[in-house]
PDB file of all heavy atoms in Angstrom:
ATOM      1  N   LYS O1251      -6.519  -1.881   5.242  1.00  0.00           N
ATOM      2  CA  LYS O1251      -7.462  -1.988   4.134  1.00  0.00           C
ATOM      3  C   LYS O1251      -8.832  -1.397   4.451  1.00  0.00           C
ATOM      4  O   LYS O1251      -9.614  -1.155   3.555  1.00  0.00           O
ATOM      5  CB  LYS O1251      -7.622  -3.449   3.718  1.00  0.00           C
ATOM      6  CG  LYS O1251      -6.460  -3.929   2.913  1.00  0.00           C
ATOM      7  CD  LYS O1251      -6.861  -5.008   1.992  1.00  0.00           C
ATOM      8  CE  LYS O1251      -5.683  -5.265   1.080  1.00  0.00           C
ATOM      9  NZ  LYS O1251      -5.974  -6.129   0.028  1.00  0.00           N
ATOM     10  N   PRO O1282     -31.445  20.213  17.777  1.00  0.00           N
ATOM     11  CA  PRO O1282     -31.189  19.252  16.696  1.00  0.00           C
ATOM     12  C   PRO O1282     -30.125  19.759  15.710  1.00  0.00           C
ATOM     13  O   PRO O1282     -29.367  18.973  15.145  1.00  0.00           O
ATOM     14  CB  PRO O1282     -32.534  19.101  15.990  1.00  0.00           C
ATOM     15  CG  PRO O1282     -33.538  19.539  16.985  1.00  0.00           C
ATOM     16  CD  PRO O1282     -32.861  20.559  17.830  1.00  0.00           C
ATOM     17  N   SER O1286     -26.765  17.778  14.761  1.00  0.00           N
ATOM     18  CA  SER O1286     -26.388  17.547  13.366  1.00  0.00           C
ATOM     19  C   SER O1286     -24.980  18.039  13.089  1.00  0.00           C
ATOM     20  O   SER O1286     -24.217  17.412  12.357  1.00  0.00           O
ATOM     21  CB  SER O1286     -27.368  18.240  12.421  1.00  0.00           C
ATOM     22  OG  SER O1286     -28.634  17.671  12.526  1.00  0.00           O
ATOM     23  N   LYS O1319      12.632  -3.767  -6.085  1.00  0.00           N
ATOM     24  CA  LYS O1319      13.601  -3.331  -7.082  1.00  0.00           C
ATOM     25  C   LYS O1319      15.039  -3.476  -6.599  1.00  0.00           C
ATOM     26  O   LYS O1319      15.935  -3.644  -7.394  1.00  0.00           O
ATOM     27  CB  LYS O1319      13.352  -1.871  -7.456  1.00  0.00           C
ATOM     28  CG  LYS O1319      12.087  -1.651  -8.230  1.00  0.00           C
ATOM     29  CD  LYS O1319      11.897  -0.193  -8.545  1.00  0.00           C
ATOM     30  CE  LYS O1319      10.573   0.044  -9.244  1.00  0.00           C
ATOM     31  NZ  LYS O1319      10.321   1.462  -9.456  1.00  0.00           N
ATOM     32  N   SER O1322      17.077  -6.783  -7.653  1.00  0.00           N
ATOM     33  CA  SER O1322      17.332  -6.902  -9.089  1.00  0.00           C
ATOM     34  C   SER O1322      18.366  -5.878  -9.555  1.00  0.00           C
ATOM     35  O   SER O1322      19.142  -6.144 -10.462  1.00  0.00           O
ATOM     36  CB  SER O1322      16.026  -6.732  -9.869  1.00  0.00           C
ATOM     37  OG  SER O1322      15.530  -5.421  -9.701  1.00  0.00           O
ATOM     38  N   SER O1325      21.811  -7.293  -8.687  1.00  0.00           N
ATOM     39  CA  SER O1325      22.239  -8.405  -9.520  1.00  0.00           C
ATOM     40  C   SER O1325      22.604  -7.934 -10.927  1.00  0.00           C
ATOM     41  O   SER O1325      23.457  -8.522 -11.567  1.00  0.00           O
ATOM     42  CB  SER O1325      21.145  -9.474  -9.576  1.00  0.00           C
ATOM     43  OG  SER O1325      20.007  -8.946 -10.230  1.00  0.00           O
ATOM     44  N   PHE O1334      30.311 -19.863 -20.895  1.00  0.00           N
ATOM     45  CA  PHE O1334      29.796 -20.948 -21.708  1.00  0.00           C
ATOM     46  C   PHE O1334      30.903 -21.955 -21.998  1.00  0.00           C
ATOM     47  O   PHE O1334      32.058 -21.590 -22.195  1.00  0.00           O
ATOM     48  CB  PHE O1334      29.229 -20.413 -23.026  1.00  0.00           C
ATOM     49  CG  PHE O1334      28.032 -19.545 -22.843  1.00  0.00           C
ATOM     50  CD1 PHE O1334      28.153 -18.173 -22.811  1.00  0.00           C
ATOM     51  CD2 PHE O1334      26.779 -20.101 -22.678  1.00  0.00           C
ATOM     52  CE1 PHE O1334      27.052 -17.363 -22.637  1.00  0.00           C
ATOM     53  CE2 PHE O1334      25.666 -19.304 -22.510  1.00  0.00           C
ATOM     54  CZ  PHE O1334      25.797 -17.923 -22.479  1.00  0.00           C
ATOM     55  N   ASP O1345      34.564 -19.891 -12.547  1.00  0.00           N
ATOM     56  CA  ASP O1345      35.803 -20.367 -11.956  1.00  0.00           C
ATOM     57  C   ASP O1345      36.005 -21.876 -12.093  1.00  0.00           C
ATOM     58  O   ASP O1345      36.979 -22.422 -11.574  1.00  0.00           O
ATOM     59  CB  ASP O1345      35.866 -19.975 -10.477  1.00  0.00           C
ATOM     60  CG  ASP O1345      34.687 -20.512  -9.700  1.00  0.00           C
ATOM     61  OD1 ASP O1345      33.620 -20.700 -10.304  1.00  0.00           O
ATOM     62  OD2 ASP O1345      34.825 -20.729  -8.505  1.00  0.00           O
ATOM     63  N   SER O1346      35.103 -22.587 -12.797  1.00  0.00           N
ATOM     64  CA  SER O1346      35.263 -24.040 -12.935  1.00  0.00           C
ATOM     65  C   SER O1346      36.283 -24.373 -14.022  1.00  0.00           C
ATOM     66  O   SER O1346      36.465 -23.641 -14.995  1.00  0.00           O
ATOM     67  CB  SER O1346      33.923 -24.701 -13.235  1.00  0.00           C
ATOM     68  OG  SER O1346      33.426 -24.239 -14.471  1.00  0.00           O
TER      69      SER O1346
END
Side-chain angles (χ1 to χ4, degrees):
K1251 283 208 171 189
S1286 295
K1319 291 179 184 175
S1322 65
S1325 65
F1334 295 97
D1345 57 332
S1346 63

